[in-house]
């Protein structure tokens, strides 16, 4: 009785190329089909080799780009254009869109009446003053982040831009280059 390892030793020196050359084209096709059926979803194989070739057509030759483009142009010119099922007449159907009136009546309980001096002061206030009033009332969403942080850091509100201001970037302050590290790590 021979061991399993000794049985495998006789297959070690087999020349696979010689065996494949001796096979007929029908036997090669059968071998190819059996190999494809053994592991069709082998992730290690490239995508083009995962599915067996089922065509029996012989290769047409090398790619000729100019001939291909001429053929495609000729085919496009010979093809009939698709006729629209419903011809365009320019007729508009339906009603035109009219936005709803968004003004809502404020209930009498929620209407605020101010003293005439305050009404006049608010009517004549500039954007910067309105932004200052918004900051005093705690409406920080009407201020830009820069205005808000300037007001918090300095303690006073110094708004010169107004409510609808564009945030300007901070001025660039050049920083001198650091000297090289003199320490020798060796």
């Amino acid at each position: 009785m021979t061991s399993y390892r000794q049985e495998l030793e006789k297959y070690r020196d087999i020349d696979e190329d010689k065996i494949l050359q001796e096979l007929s084209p029908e036997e090669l096709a059968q071998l190819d089909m059996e190999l494809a059926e053994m592991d069709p979803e082998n992730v290690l194989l490239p995508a083009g080799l995962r599915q067996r070739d089922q065509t029996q057509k012989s290769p047409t030759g090398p790619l000729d780009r100019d001939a291909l483009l001429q053929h495609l142009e000729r085919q496009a010119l010979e093809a009939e254009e698709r006729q629209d099922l419903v011809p365009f007449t320019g007729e508009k159907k339906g009603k035109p869109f009219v936005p709803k009136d968004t003004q809502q009546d404020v209930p009498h309980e929620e209407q605020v009446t101010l003293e005439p001096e305050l009404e006049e002061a608010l009517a004549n206030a500039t954007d910067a003053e309105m932004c200052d009033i918004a900051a005093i009332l705690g409406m920080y969403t009407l201020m830009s982040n820069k205005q808000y942080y300037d007001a918090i850091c300095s303690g006073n509100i110094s708004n010169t831009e107004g409510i609808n201001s564009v945030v300007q970037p901070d001025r660039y302050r050049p920083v001198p280059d650091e000297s090289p590290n003199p320490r020798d790590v060796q």
Side-chain angles (χ1 to χ4, degrees), residues 28-43:
L28 281 174
Q30 182 181 2
L31 178 65
D32 185 37
M33 186 167 307
E34 288 179 15
L35 288 175
E37 289 176 0
M38 278 182 12
D39 193 9
E41 296 179 8
N42 186 356
V43 188

Side-chain angles (χ1 to χ4, degrees), residues 172-178:
Y172 172 71
R173 289 178 280 155
V175 177
D177 290 336
E178 294 180 3

Side-chain angles (χ1 to χ4, degrees), residues 95-176:
K95 298 186 294 183
F97 174 73
V98 178
K100 294 181 181 178
D101 193 15
T102 58
Q103 291 183 354
Q104 299 173 353
D105 294 331
V106 179
H108 183 67
E109 299 86 30
E110 293 182 14
Q111 289 181 353
V112 178
T113 54
L114 298 174
E115 297 178 15
E117 307 97 40
L118 289 175
E119 293 262 351
E120 183 182 340
L122 288 175
N124 296 331
T126 63
D127 282 347
E129 293 170 343
M130 290 296 280
C131 193
D132 292 342
I133 293 171
I136 292 169
L137 295 176
M139 299 176 166
Y140 296 111
T141 56
L142 297 176
M143 302 171 66
S144 68
N145 284 343
K146 182 164 179 28
Q147 294 168 347
Y148 173 71
Y149 288 115
D150 286 345
I152 287 179
C153 294
S154 65
N156 60 354
I157 301 168
S158 58
N159 181 8
T160 58
E161 292 116 14
I163 293 178
N164 298 326
S165 65
V166 175
V167 177
Q168 299 293 326
D170 291 335
R171 296 281 180 219
Y172 172 71
R173 289 178 280 155
V175 177

Side-chain angles (χ1 to χ4, degrees), residues 35-108:
L35 288 175
E37 289 176 0
M38 278 182 12
D39 193 9
E41 296 179 8
N42 186 356
V43 188
L44 300 175
L45 284 176
L49 299 177
R50 287 185 196 158
Q51 184 174 359
R52 62 185 174 91
D53 185 18
Q54 299 176 3
T55 60
Q56 301 299 325
K57 183 179 174 185
S58 61
T60 56
L63 173 67
D64 185 9
R65 184 176 188 276
D66 294 331
L68 178 63
L69 288 175
Q70 289 174 358
H71 171 72
L72 291 175
E73 287 176 9
R74 185 173 52 251
Q75 195 175 23
L77 291 173
E78 291 172 358
E80 293 182 20
E81 291 189 21
R82 180 179 62 91
Q83 298 295 323
D84 288 336
L85 299 177
V86 179
F88 178 73
T89 59
E91 176 185 353
K92 294 183 180 179
K93 297 183 179 181
K95 298 186 294 183
F97 174 73
V98 178
K100 294 181 181 178
D101 193 15
T102 58
Q103 291 183 354
Q104 299 173 353
D105 294 331
V106 179
H108 183 67

